[in-house]
């Protein structure tokens, strides 16, 4: 164990002060206030022992005992600043004083020393627990912990004293004041002694007892002179009485005959008070206040306790000289630690390296490099050196000879590692200050790796740096010149570097590297934002075409790699293999963008992290619905019946999703590519698919469906259409979606695509009107523009009114034509789509045709290339779908594919998907007759709006539940919404696309949405709790008042002159003053005075409005702060950057197990160390903004969320080369009938039909909710 003797900067000391609890000794008596985190010899994160009941203090000021430092300006060297505080939780008392007396003007903070660096003064300190005294230094209820520090900066005289004292109220006294049974016992005794006198008087609550005693003390502090309280006073007897005599006497009360004399403090004393009785009473009063605030809210509300404590954080921060952390302070702290604790330089250098890497700070990394070049080594370097030589640093037998002997033995066994072993030996010699060991370490090198190690270089360092490192080595020791030149020569040979070869020959370094612009041009890459994999693909292509130009190509690739700081590209240059910087078996895989599918990739990544859903997909055969008549007639999803074709399509979707999930688990690559067909099934809903394919039959250049008897099969001939209609592209804008009433939105069902193929077009002229835009030429231009967009389209505009899940009523479905592929079979009820049955009874009476004795022949297959192209076009169009439509489509297909667990009263299918992702909400509407009508419905996500301005998450959610006015029978009536059932996975859609009426165009609102890691949904739940209902009504009233005030404020602050109204009036008055000085203008009498008075009135009004807005905002934000029984944790954040017409998506996903956020950006999955892009406001003009949020229930998060699910077979190793992803895109596209057989065996036929890729997976088990 390394013993650290360094100091602490002011910010660290303040943080440790908040965690230091002298009441509880920690393991091995670690002192949070004094000790630095302990670094073990084997490295790892420094350990901080913690006691299980240790208090994390929340300090509040005791103003009368303080002598606070000035908020602005430097500390006064003539005074002692005192911050007196108490903890709201444990009631301990803190007295912090900092004394600058005797110092000069150069005390910290200064330009040279921006922070205090405090070192512990053990000689004058008296900590309560000391190692030499054991864990129980005292058993007293009253104790004191005293710690002294001195600033280590030479010119700073700051002496810091931190004294923490025990609470004045002992535990047994607190019990007397707060235990309901004890209060009841002494109250009943007093009532029994005189029942007539106490008739009708209730037993006081603990809040009454605490509040009354606090009032007695406050009166004593504020009103001088002797006073007494009768011992027979009703309130006194019920609340305190003789049972509290010891407590009362401790705080200064005295019993004389039948009265209690009140304490008599010195009321004339000014802060900071020094009188012991004054301090005692002030301490007790603050402790009583803390106990009051710890009582339940309903109990406090009964006595109207409205106390607000004065937080001490700002005063403590000012006294210690802390502020927002800056990189220069890390440098300052590092330098101070080396001064006060020079024996532990490696430890502090490692700490600096960790900070530099964590912050990705070039300045700090440069400093680390400078320190390393000056001969310093980090603790990690030392540990690695001992580990490399397989030496136990703690061994008592480890001396110079043993170390050198071990080194020589290792070199003999592994000569290729000689340079690395010598470098390790050199570090050990330096750490031990052993010249003998260091001399043995300085020998020759024989290969590229040894050369880099000997020079202290890495593979990503350019040729210029190699030459610089050579010069450093040569200057340090001229005897090593030959070894240094040998190292450079080996590096030049390995890199094939003409620049280094020229330097070795002439002493002049040749052209080192290619300019990054030239490098991109060399590889013919126009878009610098493409992924590393595409860069490697370009490199490989040119290398295959021109092998002789490999040096030039490698120079281009190296320049790009350095510009991007891409470890993947650098690894490829060094080893010929592109690898992820994270261990494959411990890190999620990325998903390749196969064409405007960044939103799809984000969505698939999110669903993969949902453990129950992933397990359902992986074990789909256990949950798959058999395609029987009984199952189909009962199948109701989204409040409508589901057809056989929809189930087949959905099951095909789930099987392809299963295939992707399996690849994401087992792939040895850093990312995989989704199937094009999976993308199509995800992004393109079945009604949209039908519309697109109906459109394809109305164009003259559709692909052939194959041949029969040598003749092409093109399908039924379409009706004749005008030439202009052939090129109509109105579908590209947004194809008309079917409207469905129910869980998945409002859908008006169209007839099936088979109807259109059979020619049942209602249009008189044979033209499908839905497929034609108002201007075909303009639509064609729009299509071209959209298809050329770099990234996905953002969501289309949602209705401005808050969306409600519609009624479950469903319009009658049109009858579908039977499939033409079954025309040879006898027509029976079984041939009809069960979704078109008029009643369950009709379906039950259906005659099922017997199964054929042999499978039907395969229909002729279309040309694969044409079908692929059509699929690509469908995916491109599907990628432009509304975000909510895509999400609903995924959940809808999952429900269609699986069997039901049960059915609700309306016949709606209940299954795992519905249990996971769907809640229920109830709306309350007051109609014209004064009757409160209710309606309950499912919801899959909550829609919030940020169009009006920046909001935090609660403000946004309130908009979905607050009372609003809706039109009922031609009149506006109040309506509000509550939640009757919360889903385990709560999804929140952020409505950002708005419509500008003036410009007649859509735009994206980039207003900030302030997210919280944890939200509490109690306030939105349906409840009969009168208190909660009253709080809601108060909140609604405050918000109405706030809207009125904000409108009035806008009138006073937004003028045509871009000035506030008071300033406008003041400017007008000043202008009139100037005119009055000119005799040519006559200003009416009293006008200037009237304007001046109007300016003053408007300024006063504005100040009053601001104050009222502040009060209302505070009331609203704290109205439900104690409702914390339903916590939800933020798990995923979908981000969009761009405008309302184009952009790019990625997703942040929380790993609760590893306490880590990751960013999933198509192929890239990286750790997030800076959370500001998720939670903080971006000041740029077009910032990335959250579009979709996912919260999960706190107590279920570990069962719901599992981001890392990897099982890479050990015998599967990625082959060297630029390819870094598995591809799941099939060359031959399977029909739905092939992918999911329509038999009634529960899908076993599907396994046989697609056995080459479909595998049963029983890894997942159903979560029991």
């Amino acid at each position: 164990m390394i013993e650290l003797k360094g100091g602490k900067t002011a910010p660290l000391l303040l943080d440790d002060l908040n965690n230091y609890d002298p009441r509880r000794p920690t393991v091995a008596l670690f002192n949070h206030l004094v000790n630095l985190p302990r670094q073990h010899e084997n490295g790892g994160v420094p350990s901080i022992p913690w006691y299980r009941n240790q208090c994390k203090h929340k300090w509040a000021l005791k103003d009368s005992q303080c002598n606070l430092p000035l908020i602005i300006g430097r500390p006064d060297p003539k005074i002692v600043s005192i911050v007196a505080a108490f903890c709201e939780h444990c009631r301990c008392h803190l007295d912090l004083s900092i004394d600058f007396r005797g110092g000069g003007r150069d005390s910290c903070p200064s330009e040279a020393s921006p922070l205090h660096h405090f070192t512990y003064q053990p000689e004058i300190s008296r900590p309560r627990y000391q190692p030499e005294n054991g864990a129980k230094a005292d058993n007293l209820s009253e104790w004191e912990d005293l710690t002294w520090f001195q600033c280590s900066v030479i010119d700073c005289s700051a002496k810091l004293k931190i004294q923490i004292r025990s609470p004045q109220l002992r535990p047994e006294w607190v019990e007397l004041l707060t235990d309901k049974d004890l209060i009841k016992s002494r109250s009943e005794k007093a009532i029994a002694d005189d029942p007539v006198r106490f008739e009708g008087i209730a037993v006081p609550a603990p809040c009454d007892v605490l509040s009354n005693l606090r009032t007695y003390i406050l009166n004593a502090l504020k009103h001088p002179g002797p006073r007494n309280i009768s011992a027979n006073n009703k309130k006194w007897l019920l609340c305190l009485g003789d049972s509290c005599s010891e407590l009362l006497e401790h705080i200064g009360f005295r019993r004389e005959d039948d009265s209690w004399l009140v304490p008599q403090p010195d009321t004339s004393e000014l802060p900071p008070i020094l009188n012991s009785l004054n301090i005692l009473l002030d301490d007790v009063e603050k402790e009583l206040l803390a106990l009051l605030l710890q009582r339940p809210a309903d109990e406090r509300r009964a006595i109207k306790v409205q106390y607000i404590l004065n937080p001490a954080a700002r005063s403590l921060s000012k006294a210690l000289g802390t502020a927002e952390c800056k990189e220069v302070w890390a440098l300052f702290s590092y330098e101070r630690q080396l001064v006060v604790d020079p024996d532990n330089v490696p430890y502090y250098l490692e700490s600096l390296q960790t900070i530099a890497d964590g912050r990705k700070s070039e300045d700090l990394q440069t400093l680390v490099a400078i320190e390393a070049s000056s001969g310093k080594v980090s603790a990690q370097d030392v540990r690695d050196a001992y580990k490399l030589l397989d030496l136990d640093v703690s061994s008592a037998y480890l001396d110079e000879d043993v170390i050198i002997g071990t080194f020589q033995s290792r070199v003999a066994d592994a000569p290729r590692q000689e340079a690395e072993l010598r470098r390790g030996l050199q570090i050990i010699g330096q750490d031990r200050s052993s010249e003998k060991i260091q001399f043995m370490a300085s020998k020759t090198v024989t290969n590229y790796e040894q050369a880099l190690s000997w020079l202290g270089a890495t593979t990503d360092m350019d040729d210029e740096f190699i030459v610089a490192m050579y010069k450093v080595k040569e200057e340090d020791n001229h005897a090593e010149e030959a070894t240094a030149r040998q190292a450079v020569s080996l590096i030049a040979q390995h890199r094939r570097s003409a620049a280094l070869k020229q330097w070795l020959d002439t002493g002049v370094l040749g052209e080192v590297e290619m300019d990054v612009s030239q490098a991109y041009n060399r590889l013919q890459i126009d878009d610098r934002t493409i992924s590393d994999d595409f860069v490697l693909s370009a490199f490989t292509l040119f290398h295959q075409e021109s092998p002789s130009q490999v040096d030039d190509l490698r120079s281009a690739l190296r320049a790009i790699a350095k510009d991007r700081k891409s470890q993947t590209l650098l690894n490829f240059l060094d080893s010929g293999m592109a690898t992820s910087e994270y261990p494959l078996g411990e890190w999620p895989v990325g998903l390749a963008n196969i064409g405007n599918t960044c939103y799809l990739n984000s969505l698939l990544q999110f669903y993969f992290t949902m453990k129950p859903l992933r397990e359902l997909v992986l074990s789909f055969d256990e949950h798959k619905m058999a395609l029987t008549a009984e199952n189909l007639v009962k199948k109701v999803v989204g409040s409508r019946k589901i057809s056989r074709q929809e189930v087949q399509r959905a099951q095909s979707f789930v099987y392809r999703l299963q295939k992707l999930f399996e690849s994401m688990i087992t792939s040895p690559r850093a990312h995989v590519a989704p199937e094009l067909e999976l993308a199509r099934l995800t992004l393109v809903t079945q009604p949209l698919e039908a519309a697109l394919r109906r459109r394809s039959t109305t164009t003259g250049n559709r692909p052939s469906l194959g041949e029969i008897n040598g003749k092409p099969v093109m399908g039924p001939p379409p009706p004749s259409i005008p030439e202009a209609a052939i090129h109509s592209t109105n579908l590209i804008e947004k194809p008309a979606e079917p409207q469905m009433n129910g869980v998945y939105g409002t859908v008006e069902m169209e007839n099936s695509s088979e109807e259109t193929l059979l020619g049942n077009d209602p249009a008189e002229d044979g033209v499908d009107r839905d497929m034609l835009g108002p201007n075909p030429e303009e639509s064609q231009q729009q299509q071209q523009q959209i298809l050329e967009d770099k990234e996905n389209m953002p969501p289309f505009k949602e209705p401005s009114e808050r969306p409600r899940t519609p009624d479950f009523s469903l319009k009658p479905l049109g009858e579908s034509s039977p499939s033409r592929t079954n025309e040879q079979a006898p027509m029976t009820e079984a041939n009809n789509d069960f979704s078109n049955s008029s009643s369950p009874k009709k379906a039950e009476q259906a005659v099922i045709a017997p199964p054929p004795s042999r499978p039907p022949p395969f229909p002729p297959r279309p040309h694969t290339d044409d079908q692929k192209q059509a699929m690509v076009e469908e995916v491109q169009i599907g990628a432009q779908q509304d975000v909510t439509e895509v999400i609903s489509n995924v959940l809808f297909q999952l429900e269609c594919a699986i069997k039901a667990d049960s059915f609700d009263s309306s016949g709606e299918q209940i299954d795992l998907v519905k249990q996971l992702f769907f809640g229920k909400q109830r709306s309350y509407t007051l109609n014209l007759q004064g009757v409160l009508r209710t309606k309950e419905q499912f919801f899959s996500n909550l829609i919030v709006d940020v169009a009006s301005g920046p909001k935090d998450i609660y403000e946004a959610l309130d908009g979905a539940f607050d009372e609003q006015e809706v039109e009922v029978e031609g009149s506006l009536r109040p309506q509000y919404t509550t939640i009757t059932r919360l889903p385990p996975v709560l999804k929140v859609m952020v409505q950002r696309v708005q419509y500008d009426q003036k410009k007649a165009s859509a735009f994206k609102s980039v207003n900030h949405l302030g997210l919280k890691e944890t939200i509490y949904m109690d306030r939105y739940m349906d409840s009969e709790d009168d208190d909660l209902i009253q709080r809601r009504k108060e909140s609604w009233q405050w918000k109405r008042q706030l809207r009125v005030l904000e409108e009035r404020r806008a009138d006073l602050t937004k003028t045509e002159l871009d000035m506030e109204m008071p300033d406008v009036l003041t400017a007008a008055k000043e202008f009139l003053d100037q005119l009055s000085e000119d005799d040519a203008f006559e200003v009416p009498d009293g006008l200037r005075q009237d304007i001046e008075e109007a300016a003053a009135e408007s300024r006063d009004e504005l100040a009053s409005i601001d104050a009222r807005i502040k009060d209302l905002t505070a009331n609203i934000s704290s109205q439900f702060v104690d409702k914390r029984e339903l916590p939800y944790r933020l798990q995923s954040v979908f981000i969009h950057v761009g405008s309302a017409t184009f952009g790019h998506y990625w997703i942040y996903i929380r790993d609760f197990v590893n306490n880590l956020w990751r960013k999933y950006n198509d192929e890239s999955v990286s750790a997030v160390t800076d959370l500001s892009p998720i939670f903080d406001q971006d000041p740029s003009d077009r910032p990335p903004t959250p579009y979709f949020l996912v919260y999960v229930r706190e107590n279920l998060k570990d069962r719901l969320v599992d981001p890392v699910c990897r099982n890479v077979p050990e015998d599967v190793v990625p082959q060297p080369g630029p390819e870094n992803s598995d591809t799941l895109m099939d060359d031959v596209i399977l029909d739905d009938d092939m992918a999911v057989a329509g038999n009634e065996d529960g899908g076993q036929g599907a396994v046989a039909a697609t056995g080459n890729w479909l595998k049963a997976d029983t890894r997942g088990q159903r979560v029991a909710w």
Side-chain angles (χ1 to χ4, degrees), residues 1214-1225:
Q1215 296 301 316
E1219 299 82 1
N1220 199 26
S1221 69
D1222 287 342
T1223 178
L1224 305 180
M1225 298 175 62

Side-chain angles (χ1 to χ4, degrees), residues 152-172:
S152 71
V153 178
I154 296 176
D155 296 328
C156 183
S157 61
K159 293 182 285 293
L160 175 67
K161 182 181 78 170
I162 297 178
Q163 182 182 31
I164 302 178
R165 297 182 284 109
S166 60
Q168 298 287 359
L169 297 177
R170 299 173 188 169
E172 60 269 23

Side-chain angles (χ1 to χ4, degrees), residues 55 73 195 393 402 647 687 775 778 792 860 959 991 1013 1024 1067 1069 1131 1167:
C55 179
V393 68
V402 171
V647 175
N775 186 331
E778 179 182 347
N792 291 5
Q991 174 59 44
E1013 288 209 28
E1024 296 181 358
K1069 192 262 182 186
Q1131 186 264 340

Side-chain angles (χ1 to χ4, degrees), residues 993-1013:
V993 178
Q994 310 294 327
Y995 189 77
D996 189 328
Q997 297 287 353
K998 294 182 180 179
K999 297 181 180 179
S1001 63
F1003 70 94
K1004 174 186 173 183
S1005 168
V1006 296
N1007 288 324
H1008 178 62
L1009 178 62
L1011 305 182
K1012 296 181 182 296
E1013 288 209 28

Side-chain angles (χ1 to χ4, degrees), residues 374-539:
S374 68
K376 295 185 179 71
V377 294
S378 70
Q380 183 63 52
D381 295 332
V382 176
R383 290 193 298 273
D384 290 344
Y386 279 102
K387 184 177 180 181
L388 179 65
L389 293 174
D390 198 19
L391 295 171
D392 182 4
V393 68
S394 61
S395 173
Y397 302 101
L398 196 63
D399 57 18
E400 291 178 337
D401 293 334
V402 171
I403 293 172
I404 293 174
T406 303
F407 161 76
Q408 292 172 333
S409 175
R410 292 296 308 278
V411 169
D413 293 339
R416 292 186 178 182
Q417 291 184 306
E418 181 179 353
E420 185 180 4
L421 292 168
R422 288 188 182 279
R423 176 60 181 161
L425 185 65
Q426 184 179 15
I427 291 173
I428 294 174
Q430 184 175 337
D431 182 57
R432 288 176 167 259
S433 300
S434 169
E435 293 183 3
K436 183 177 180 180
I437 293 177
Q438 292 187 63
F439 176 78
M440 177 58 65
S442 58
K443 295 294 181 181
T444 189
V445 292
T446 59
N447 57 40
Y448 175 65
E449 291 75 16
Q450 292 176 3
L452 288 175
S453 177
W454 193 88
L455 288 174
T458 58
T459 56
D460 61 336
M461 291 178 179
D462 60 26
D463 293 348
E464 281 185 336
F465 196 94
I466 297 297
V467 173
M469 294 303 297
Y470 164 86
K471 293 179 179 179
V472 170
K473 286 286 187 180
E474 194 269 338
E475 290 173 0
D476 286 347
N477 188 350
H478 292 290
E480 294 182 345
E481 179 180 1
T483 305
R485 288 188 64 84
Q486 173 68 9
V488 174
S489 177
L490 289 168
I491 294 172
Q493 292 174 18
H494 182 87
R495 293 184 175 182
R496 301 176 184 177
S497 170
L500 287 179
K501 290 177 183 178
Q502 180 178 332
W503 179 83
L504 287 168
D505 294 337
T506 66
V508 178
L509 187 66
E511 184 178 353
V512 174
E513 65 179 25
M514 190 179 295
D515 178 76
V516 69
S517 298
Q518 294 176 340
Y520 279 109
N521 290 334
R522 179 66 182 84
L523 297 180
Q524 297 185 15
I525 297 173
D526 297 326
D527 181 6
R528 296 193 183 188
T529 64
I530 64 174
S531 67
D532 289 347
D533 301 281
F534 285 105
V535 174
L536 288 175
S537 297
F539 170 86

Side-chain angles (χ1 to χ4, degrees), residues 959-1030:
F961 297 97
D962 282 351
E963 185 179 68
Q964 63 173 357
E965 290 186 333
V966 297
E967 186 172 345
V968 178
E969 299 175 358
S971 177
L972 293 177
R973 305 301 299 164
Q975 181 186 82
Y976 69 93
T977 304
T978 62
I979 297 175
T980 55
R981 177 190 176 273
L982 273 169
V985 182
L986 180 66
K987 308 191 300 299
V988 181
M989 176 71 193
V990 185
Q991 174 59 44
R992 289 196 177 275
V993 178
Q994 310 294 327
Y995 189 77
D996 189 328
Q997 297 287 353
K998 294 182 180 179
K999 297 181 180 179
S1001 63
F1003 70 94
K1004 174 186 173 183
S1005 168
V1006 296
N1007 288 324
H1008 178 62
L1009 178 62
L1011 305 182
K1012 296 181 182 296
E1013 288 209 28
T1014 304
I1015 60 174
Y1016 299 90
M1017 298 298 292
D1018 308 60
R1019 65 188 69 184
Y1020 306 117
M1021 297 304 295
D1022 195 74
S1023 173
E1024 296 181 358
D1025 182 2
D1026 292 336
D1027 174 63
L1028 180 59
I1029 294 172
Q1030 182 60 34

Side-chain angles (χ1 to χ4, degrees), residues 798 802-803 941-947 951-961 987-992 994 1009 1187 1189:
E798 295 284 350
R802 182 172 76 218
N941 55 64
L942 303 175
I943 298 180
V944 301
D945 191 359
V946 292
K951 298 179 180 178
D952 69 18
I953 185 64
Y954 283 123
E955 289 180 276
L957 286 172
D958 287 350
F961 297 97
K987 308 191 300 299
V988 181
M989 176 71 193
V990 185
Q991 174 59 44
R992 289 196 177 275
Q994 310 294 327
L1009 178 62
Y1187 248 103
L1189 316 172

